[in-house]
Amino acid sequence: MKATVISIFTQKGGVGKTVSTINISGVLAEMGFKTLVLDVDAQANASFVGYAVDEDIEYSIAEFINSNEDPVYHQRGKDGNVYVVSGNEELETPKSRDSLKKAIKKVENDFDYILIDCPPQVIKDKEISFGEIAVFASDFIICPVDYDEFSLDGLTKLIISINKLKATKGLKAEFLGFFFSKVEEQTVDFKEAYKTLSESKIKDLLFLNYIRKNKFIRTSLREGESAVFLKPHNPVSMDYRKLTGEILSKVKNNGK
Ligand SMILES: Nc1ncnc2c1ncn2[C@@H]1O[C@H](COP(=O)(O)OP(=O)(O)OP(=O)(O)O)[C@@H](O)[C@H]1O
Ligand SMILES: [Mg+2]
């Protein structure tokens, strides 16, 4: 069966896309799902930091997209169920917005889930970005949200730009929703942002589960594995498990 492809996407930087890609893949692995992680960010944090792939390796996302070589995966997570294709600092923007989609087609029957860690890039009308090739390769898009500078306006604009891609460029991916990451539950800022979003016109797009801020995330990044795998009972691991459960049930409700 064809894998379900999910992009972890935002136009904003530093909101938890990479940490979420690593930990959601960690949860999928412990559930027994064979999961491919594609790092399409030239910063390559998901692969070189989060999953500690050796930076000298010769096969990266550039070869995954541009060559017909057999893919070289780096196995991580429970039972080695996470397969990582590393990022590439030299990666040039592909000319076609379907380039990643075509590359994924070759391996989509080998996996249950494919997660794409996107760079923070604004979708523009004239240039193709990696964020764009990722969403064009995806069935679904999920989006971590920062409540520090929370703006309903910013989220609404993101939905508008995704809808515009659907209307004008034939984007097929469904926008599954937003989740708060790096949360300090007791802060007024978080409570207000959560309330504002859950009472807004886009409330159906808010994931009820959120990810609490936890020091162990830093340790896990240093150790090159998901927090979920290293410390299954850590609060942040529990949060990612609940969030992943919610993502999978939304995916199912959307016909997958
Ligand atoms: N739950 C968490 N608890 C504590 N720190 C976190 C948590 N999630 C993310 N961080 C920290 O926040 C920072 C940004 O996270 P991350 O790299 O995942 O964001 P990003 O959206 O991928 O950034 P970029 O846009 O640059 O790719 C990192 O330093 C990470 O350690
Ligand atoms: Mg990142």
Side-chain angles (χ1 to χ4, degrees):
M1 218 171 66
K2 179 192 168 301
T4 301
V5 186
I6 305 176
S7 271
I8 295 82
F9 173 81
T10 59
Q11 311 203 50
K12 200 168 166 223
V15 291
K17 292 180 289 298
T18 298
V19 165
S20 297
T21 305
I22 293 164
N23 283 286
I24 294 168
S25 61
V27 175
L28 292 170
E30 70 179 17
M31 292 172 85
F33 293 120
K34 202 173 160 191
T35 303
L36 174 63
V37 168
L38 297 175
D39 187 349
V40 301
D41 187 351
Q43 299 176 96
N45 287 333
S47 41
F48 294 158
V49 182
Y51 273 133
V53 173
D54 184 349
E55 294 191 31
D56 294 333
I57 48 106
E58 290 185 357
Y59 187 94
S60 73
I61 192 74
E63 286 70 33
F64 184 82
I65 294 174
N66 298 317
S67 88
N68 282 323
E69 287 171 55
D70 284 342
V72 178
Y73 300 120
H74 304 272
Q75 284 178 258
R76 300 287 186 271
K78 179 111 193 300
D79 301 326
N81 267 335
V82 179
Y83 293 69
V84 183
V85 171
S86 84
N88 185 321
E89 284 161 5
E90 316 273 302
L91 187 60
E92 283 175 29
T93 317
K95 298 204 170 46
S96 151
R97 68 171 54 82
D98 281 332
S99 52
L100 186 60
K101 188 186 173 103
K102 282 188 187 144
I104 285 178
K105 263 218 153 331
K106 292 184 260 177
V107 301
E108 66 187 9
N109 293 322
D110 300 342
F111 296 97
D112 299 305
Y113 289 93
I114 300 177
L115 301 186
I116 310 176
D117 183 26
C118 298
Q121 274 172 341
V122 176
I123 293 179
K124 294 188 184 147
D125 264 347
K126 296 211 169 77
E127 303 161 27
I128 299 175
S129 64
F130 281 108
E132 198 171 337
I133 68 158
V135 296
F136 270 86
S138 297
D139 300 307
F140 299 103
I141 302 165
I142 57 173
C143 179
V145 183
D146 212 342
Y147 64 85
D148 286 1
E149 300 163 54
F150 177 74
S151 136
L152 201 50
D153 194 41
L155 302 190
T156 311
K157 281 192 182 129
L158 175 68
I159 297 171
I160 291 170
S161 66
I162 289 172
N163 284 341
K164 198 169 156 201
L165 288 179
K166 282 180 172 245
T168 60
K169 310 239 165 76
L171 176 73
K172 297 278 189 307
E174 279 304 319
F175 187 68
L176 271 194
F178 304 102
F179 58 93
F180 286 101
S181 61
K182 299 194 270 178
V183 167
E184 289 174 295
E185 277 176 308
Q186 300 314 324
T187 59
V188 175
D189 282 355
F190 169 64
K191 287 182 187 164
E192 279 182 357
Y194 194 89
K195 187 163 182 284
T196 304
L197 192 48
S198 54
E199 290 171 355
S200 71
K201 281 190 187 151
I202 54 171
K203 62 175 184 292
D204 292 344
L205 291 173
L206 172 66
F207 283 100
L208 300 178
N209 290 288
Y210 50 82
I211 309 301
R212 285 168 290 177
K213 194 169 190 173
N214 191 289
K215 283 186 193 147
F216 191 66
I217 287 293
R218 275 197 154 193
T219 312
S220 66
L221 290 173
R222 271 198 304 272
E223 295 198 15
E225 254 295 357
S226 65
V228 167
F229 178 74
L230 293 171
K231 268 207 183 169
H233 300 293
N234 185 281
V236 80
S237 307
M238 314 274 228
D239 290 348
Y240 270 112
R241 223 168 270 126
K242 284 194 209 153
L243 175 69
T244 305
E246 198 178 351
I247 292 169
L248 296 192
S249 75
K250 274 199 166 185
V251 163
K252 209 166 159 198
N253 290 341
N254 272 275
K256 264 274 186 174

